[in-house]
Amino acid sequence: MRSMLFKSGIFISLLLLNFVPSQSAVSSVDLGSEWMKVAVVNLKPGQTPISIAINEMSKRKSPTFVAFQGGTRLLGEEAAGIAARYPDKVYSQLRDMIGKPYTYVKSFLDSMYLPLDVVESSRGAAGFRIADNLGADASIYSAEELLAMVLSYAANLAEVHAKVPVKDAVVTIPPYFGQAERRGLVTAAQLAGINVLALVHEHSGAALQYGIDKDFSNGSRYVVLYDMGSSGTYAALVHYSAYNAKEFGKTVSVNQFQVKDVRWDAVLGGQNMESRLVEFFADEFNKQVGNGVDVRKSPKAMAKLKKQVKRTKEILSANTAAPISVESLYDDLDFRSTITREKFEELCEDLWDRSLIPLKEVIKHSGLKLDEIYAVELIGGSTRVPKLQAKIQEFLGRTELDKHLDADEAIVLGASLHAANLSDGIKLNRKLGMVDGSTYGFTVELNGPDLVKDESTKQLLVPRMKKLPSKMFRSVVHNKDFDVSLAYESEDLLPPGVTSNVFAQYAVSGLADASEKYSSRNLSSPIKANLHFSLSRSGILSLDRADAVIEVSEWVEVPKKNLTLETTTSTSPNISVETDTNNTSDDSNKNLQSDGEISTASNATAEESRTIDLGTEKKLKKRTFRVPLKVVEKTVGPGAPLSKESLDEAKRKLDALNKRDAERRRTAELKNNLEGYIYSTKEKLETNEDLEKISTSDERKSFIEKLDEVQEWLYTDGEDATANEFQEHLDSLKAIGDPIFFRYEELSARPAAIELARKYLGELQQIVKGWQSDKPWLPKDRIDEVLSDADKLKTWLNEKETEQSKTPLFSKPVFTSEEVYLKLFDLQDKVASVNKIPKPKPKVEKPKKVEIETNAKNETEGTAENANGSSSNSAESSENGSSTAGSDATVDEKVNQEAEVHDEL
């Protein structure tokens, strides 16, 4: 599997087009119920373009857990580490509690044996009472706030991995997520400081990963993606094809895919199988103990049992039997047992047929036959269960299933390709068109005074699988304010926990005022309201704006127009209707023979004909007025958006927690630094004999006593010390230790620097000799300057070495290796600058013939001046000579001609 991942990573790396110097990066987050994966698209030079971000435990996936213990917030692996000991302080399954009503969440937590303190919020959603030490009383956190902590942790993983800030991300969601869940997830990301480029369906991410390295120009294919995760199951039908497009003047084939349909069971997943095992082992433990003991009444015991059951289930996927062992499960009693794969399959008997329903439905509604399905790709961790695979094989009538995708990472890697495409400055070399659709159908309904209920007030707005993103427009004839309700198309197909199909409500106002304002005008048609909806790339439907449309017919005074005159004028604009043809022709000919300027005589006549006052007439004109209407969302219930005040308060709490976490990490780091310094320093003082050469016994003894003193403080009063206190103690120790260890380092570094300097001084003599023989053009003063500096360095070294030999090693060094290197580097720079002096270019003498030509000209000109006025022939000859010199004649011809003139003179 790792080999396949490595090859996949290399291939994906080759898909990015240009690495922009801005060092930008985007990420994708595959957000599951229990686990999440983070991928980074990074443009920083030297980094793999697309890669999985590992966590602090070097794992490729992280638990989606948040915990509060002893006033400390824990995330990811740290939170999961205390889940069995403190089940009432660890919050998981957060993705599946977003946008859900309180009663649903409470029932869900009870079924999972999660003893969390849950209260009902003002929105009817679940709130979690947590003692986080931020206030005197416990704080109430919404599911969005807790999920924001998980997403903030994911963003931090991406930034640590990319080594640059990462704010843009694509987050995956299951297809059965409704409007409340989608909006809640975007809110959580906003609180975490993440800009969500899009919420992308998990099946679209997997479809991208499946198709990015394939060629569909030779034929299209249907592929079913079957995913069973921790809490949900779905089957998506995807059609892959190719089309021709022009690119740089060439016809190229471009791959594309369209999600045709997706069906799901939102409450069927690996957790269902684990629950069967938990109940089975709980009954077995109760029987073993007897005396009416019920382990289910102990949340801590159930948390321990659930943790071990996960391991047992994983073992059963590869073995026919698996053990389970839990130390001190209940009342200091250990529990040990075994279970066979056959028994496990029997416990989950009803789940196997149920797991096939999404697959059967998606194929049934497609109208395709089984042999028309090219592949059924399995993704999701729970698809590794052998019995599930056997049931799918049996239904499909195939001996093997398609497992070309990584069951764990296909979605997050595909989503990262989508993130790269949506981001600025990152483009893919290999194109793959993506068309996904809305997994729910939506209706719009209008309610208001005098609104007659008919097909215009309630209609289908978004059919199921409508392309994402899309914009919709609806119009209603009305003259009063009204309300708009958005609802799921079918009450039989609702997201988990949703009891009402209405998910959003808006109040549209301003229409009554607009109607009153324009009612006295002559309306050419009834007043209507236009509603503009959008279905975002994230599948979120909203009413964006509304406006009133008023069409008015009015009689207005307009100038009369003479159609005959207009026609004549337009065809011959320079001909006056008041002149005869001959005159006009003559005038026109004269005008054409002028300086290129057209005479305005005929134009003036034409203008006069145009401006003849013909009077006015009344005409009926239509005018359309568009008046913006006020749209206010008034959604109620768990799906209602958080108010601005709630968002600000949530942001304040999260910022305070983030600062406290940062201080905690800094404190822990400084404490580790102090502890590490004490132990490493003591070891050096005890084992390194060379330290005795550069320090006195009293100095070492005093230092060890100081180390012991700080070590004692560290494990007593220092247990609850602040970061600054740890830093102060570390600085106090380094103030003593740094001079000692500096002298120790110089013990070997200084002789090495001296040796290097003397070696170079010897080499410099050969360099200068080479200059004298090979580069005679080098200035002597520059060479002398180099030799002078070399002598100074040699003298300085001799003096310092003599002085250092008389100084005890436990005293401050007379000179340091750094000083030697600085002087040596200065000398090397001067040598390099002299060595780079280029050889002078040889002087180029002018050709001899050119000089003769110049002399001949000068002599000819001088003679001509002397003979001016006395010999016209001489003057003419001079002129001829000048003309020849300016022609294309050869140099020899020029010289000869001028020589002839000179001879004549």
Side-chain angles (χ1 to χ4, degrees), residues 344-489:
F344 166 66
E345 293 173 353
E346 179 186 331
L347 293 173
C348 303
E349 184 62 34
D350 60 310
L351 300 182
W352 310 128
D353 290 333
R354 184 175 158 190
S355 64
L356 291 178
I357 294 177
L359 180 58
K360 291 179 178 179
E361 285 188 348
V362 79
I363 294 177
K364 174 185 174 183
H365 289 88
S366 70
L368 298 173
K369 297 178 181 178
L370 289 177
D371 57 2
E372 293 180 279
I373 305 296
Y374 180 85
V376 177
E377 285 285 342
L378 302 186
I379 51 179
S382 297
T383 58
R384 295 189 177 97
V385 176
K387 182 64 175 180
L388 176 61
Q389 295 184 6
K391 294 294 288 186
I392 296 175
Q393 280 180 289
E394 180 184 346
F395 167 69
L396 296 174
R398 302 186 181 187
T399 57
E400 291 185 3
L401 295 175
D402 299 283
K403 303 174 188 176
H404 302 98
L405 295 175
D406 184 321
D408 288 323
E409 297 179 358
I411 293 173
V412 72
L413 289 174
S416 67
L417 295 172
H418 191 47
N421 234 9
L422 294 178
S423 65
D424 296 330
I426 307 175
K427 295 301 176 187
L428 298 177
N429 248 339
R430 185 184 292 270
K431 295 181 180 179
L432 179 60
M434 167 180 153
V435 179
D436 198 359
S438 173
T439 51
Y440 292 96
F442 303 113
T443 61
V444 57
E445 183 174 7
L446 309 181
N447 295 283
D450 302 333
L451 262 176
V452 180
K453 296 293 184 180
D454 57 18
E455 61 182 12
S456 66
T457 57
K458 183 176 182 179
Q459 51 185 294
L460 180 64
L461 181 64
V462 176
R464 192 169 181 275
M465 299 312 297
K466 182 176 180 64
K467 179 183 175 182
L468 301 175
S470 296
K471 291 188 177 296
M472 287 71 64
F473 165 84
R474 291 293 183 273
S475 181
V476 58
V477 176
H478 200 47
N479 58 4
K480 295 182 180 178
D481 297 345
F482 58 91
D483 293 338
V484 178
S485 297
L486 299 178
Y488 296 102
E489 177 186 9

Side-chain angles (χ1 to χ4, degrees), residues 664-715:
R664 178 175 67 88
R665 288 192 296 270
R666 178 170 174 263
T667 301
E669 181 180 356
L670 288 173
K671 182 178 181 180
N672 289 336
N673 291 345
L674 177 58
E675 187 176 32
Y677 183 84
I678 292 172
Y679 279 105
S680 63
T681 302
K682 278 188 171 184
E683 183 181 1
K684 291 176 183 177
L685 291 172
E686 293 172 359
T687 60
N688 196 325
E689 296 180 355
D690 287 339
L691 287 174
E692 296 179 2
K693 299 178 183 178
I694 48 84
S695 62
T696 64
S697 58
D698 290 341
E699 189 177 17
R700 293 192 301 275
K701 180 181 178 182
S702 175
F703 192 21
I704 291 175
E705 289 175 353
K706 182 65 174 177
L707 290 169
D708 290 337
E709 177 188 335
V710 175
Q711 185 176 23
E712 183 179 356
W713 171 86
L714 182 64
Y715 296 126

Side-chain angles (χ1 to χ4, degrees), residues 312-356:
T312 301
K313 174 174 164 263
E314 292 174 359
I315 294 173
L316 285 174
S317 294
N319 301 274
T320 56
I324 183 169
S325 177
V326 187
E327 301 291 334
S328 299
L329 176 60
Y330 180 80
D331 198 18
D332 291 332
L333 296 173
D334 299 339
F335 174 63
R336 290 179 176 81
S337 182
T338 58
I339 188 171
T340 63
R341 182 190 290 177
E342 183 180 3
K343 181 61 179 178
F344 166 66
E345 293 173 353
E346 179 186 331
L347 293 173
C348 303
E349 184 62 34
D350 60 310
L351 300 182
W352 310 128
D353 290 333
R354 184 175 158 190
S355 64
L356 291 178

Side-chain angles (χ1 to χ4, degrees), residues 36-91:
M36 69 177 177
K37 278 79 67 178
V38 179
V40 178
V41 184
N42 192 10
L43 299 184
K44 188 174 182 180
Q47 296 258 346
T48 303
I50 298 181
S51 55
I52 300 292
I54 60 175
N55 63 20
E56 63 276 11
M57 302 293 289
S58 299
K59 294 182 179 179
R60 298 171 71 88
K61 65 178 182 178
S62 303
T64 54
F65 287 22
V66 179
F68 290 86
Q69 169 63 13
T72 301
R73 182 181 63 169
L74 306 174
L75 298 168
E77 296 283 359
E78 285 186 322
I82 67 169
R85 287 179 292 158
Y86 305 101
D88 59 328
K89 301 181 184 300
V90 180
Y91 301 83

Side-chain angles (χ1 to χ4, degrees), residues 300-317:
K300 184 176 291 189
M302 293 304 291
K304 289 182 179 180
L305 184 58
K306 285 167 58 180
K307 182 178 181 180
Q308 294 302 320
V309 157
K310 288 182 178 295
R311 297 177 181 176
T312 301
K313 174 174 164 263
E314 292 174 359
I315 294 173
L316 285 174
S317 294

Side-chain angles (χ1 to χ4, degrees), residues 508-573:
V508 179
S509 59
L511 184 59
D513 293 340
S515 299
E516 183 179 351
K517 178 179 178 180
Y518 291 95
S519 59
S520 60
R521 310 281 284 270
N522 184 26
L523 300 176
S524 60
S525 61
I527 295 176
K528 62 182 179 180
N530 287 345
L531 304 176
H532 301 268
F533 302 90
S534 68
L535 183 65
S536 72
R537 184 174 277 107
S538 299
I540 298 175
L541 180 64
S542 60
L543 172 59
D544 296 335
R545 62 185 179 89
D547 48 59
V549 180
I550 301 103
E551 294 182 354
V552 179
S553 297
E554 295 180 323
W555 291 96
V556 294
E557 296 280 348
V558 296
K560 287 184 179 180
K561 294 181 180 180
N562 188 323
L563 296 179
T564 304
L565 181 62
E566 280 187 352
T567 304
T568 306
T569 308
S570 63
T571 54
S572 303

